[in-house]
Amino acid sequence: MSVPFRLLILEDCPTDADLMLEMLHTFGFDPTWTRVDKESDYISSLDPCPDLILSDFSMPQFDARRALHLMKERGLDIPFIVVSGCIGEDVAVQCMKDGACDYLLKDRLARLGAAVTHALERKHLQEEKKAVEERLFHETFHDALTGLPNRALFLERLDRSLLRSKRDQAYVFAVLLLKMEGLAAINETLGPSASDQLLIEASQRLSRHVRSLDSVARLAGDEFLILLDDLKTATNAGRVATRIQQAVALPFAFGGREVNLSAGLGITASPTGYNSPENMLRDAGAALRRATSL
């Protein structure tokens, strides 16, 4: 069974490129390939990223070490194998230090299949590891129901904002603590699945009514946190809070009927002078309780 992958060949000799491709086919590979021998074409060929790069060491305009440097400069980690007609051991070692995963001579292409197999397997394992790490991060720092950041991630972002406000007196931010009101009645009349669905829709509505640099998080139950970042003035937080309350008050469509919710809000702003994110949340909670008791 042939193994497809995207291959980029850095080679100024078409005949040598054809020999490498024939050898790959012999070992059961079926790459979609592109051959380049100029730096500008190489840079263009890195988007989208190939799965593997086979590179001659020396070409008229640039060499494998330069190609490796350009790849790393762009934050890419693509398996890179140097295939050269004449490369000394010291140069080969330097290429490995620069990021190449293997090297071989053109008159010993019998090892190409094993080298490519190893490089692609290593790439696959790295991708699997990255996917696992991303999933664990998401599960640890995001709410399972809404997908929003949870309290821990919100506090981390809030702590960064506090540190920035200490360095920059002109930097202003605010925290909103929002409590969805009416969900308890929905839970009793329509059931938990209905209240969960409304929480999801409410979280999406909140996210749409803030800027991309702001952060919306689910604290617990029917409570949400919003970090309004880099405000011009602290009074802007009140305007945003009013806009959010109006957005939440719009009817939600559920099961062929309209459902109405409202939102209580507590606000704290950075000019008040806080030393810890927990204190900001404490005062936002106190402000929320005062607002809902009126």
Side-chain angles (χ1 to χ4, degrees), residues 4-272:
F5 63 94
R6 298 183 307 278
L7 172 65
L8 177 60
I9 302 175
L10 307 187
E11 175 60 69
D12 60 316
C13 178
T15 302
D16 286 350
D18 289 342
L19 287 173
M20 286 187 278
L21 289 167
E22 288 178 14
M23 187 61 68
L24 288 174
H25 286 129
T26 300
F27 285 102
F29 293 101
D30 184 23
T32 300
W33 60 277
T34 301
R35 184 185 68 85
V36 299
D37 58 9
K38 295 181 177 63
E39 183 173 311
S40 58
D41 293 337
Y42 168 66
I43 293 172
S44 299
S45 298
L46 294 177
D47 184 20
C49 287
D51 295 310
L52 178 71
I53 297 174
L54 297 179
S55 176
D56 193 1
F57 177 75
S58 180
M59 288 157 281
Q61 294 191 8
F62 76 131
D63 60 22
R65 293 191 64 190
R66 174 63 177 165
L68 283 162
H69 174 77
L70 290 169
M71 182 180 74
K72 297 299 182 181
E73 194 176 64
R74 285 156 178 76
L76 303 176
D77 186 16
I78 305 168
F80 192 106
I81 300 175
V82 179
V83 185
S84 179
C86 53
I87 182 172
E89 186 175 344
D90 55 339
V91 176
V93 169
Q94 189 59 57
C95 287
M96 299 292 282
K97 290 181 179 178
D98 290 338
C101 62
D102 205 345
Y103 71 93
L104 57 152
L105 299 177
K106 289 181 179 179
D107 60 358
R108 299 179 185 178
L109 288 181
R111 200 169 67 82
L112 183 62
V116 169
T117 298
H118 177 75
L120 292 177
E121 287 177 348
R122 176 175 171 270
K123 180 177 185 292
H124 179 66
L125 289 174
Q126 288 176 331
E127 290 173 344
E128 284 188 336
K129 179 183 177 183
K130 182 180 179 181
V132 169
E133 290 173 346
E134 289 176 348
R135 188 184 75 249
L136 289 175
F137 176 84
H138 193 273
E139 291 175 351
T140 303
F141 292 104
H142 290 79
D143 174 59
L145 178 65
T146 64
L148 291 175
N150 60 16
R151 177 190 175 96
L153 183 54
F154 185 87
L155 286 174
E156 181 181 309
R157 293 176 178 176
L158 180 54
D159 190 52
R160 289 201 299 266
S161 294
L162 280 170
L163 291 173
R164 180 181 170 186
S165 68
K166 289 176 170 42
R167 297 191 304 268
D168 181 2
Q169 296 299 316
Y171 170 67
V172 177
F173 69 95
V175 171
L176 309 184
L177 175 57
L178 180 146
K179 181 177 177 63
M180 304 296 298
E181 298 172 346
L183 278 172
I186 298 297
N187 190 68
E188 291 177 2
T189 56
L190 300 178
S193 62
S195 59
D196 283 350
Q197 184 59 42
L198 288 174
L199 276 170
I200 293 171
E201 293 185 21
S203 71
Q204 295 170 347
R205 191 175 291 186
L206 292 175
S207 297
R208 288 196 300 269
H209 282 80
V210 297
R211 301 163 300 169
S212 58
L213 70 161
D214 300 325
S215 295
V216 180
R218 186 184 180 200
L219 181 58
D222 54 5
E223 292 184 340
F224 293 86
L225 289 164
I226 301 173
L227 173 61
L228 301 177
D229 197 21
D230 205 5
L231 298 169
K232 299 299 182 184
T233 65
T235 56
N236 285 341
R239 297 190 186 95
V240 176
T242 299
R243 187 170 71 240
I244 288 173
Q245 285 182 308
Q246 292 171 344
V248 172
L250 294 174
F252 291 83
F254 184 82
R257 58 185 290 184
E258 288 189 347
V259 176
N260 292 296
L261 300 175
S262 60
L265 271 169
I267 306 174
T268 54
S270 57
T272 312

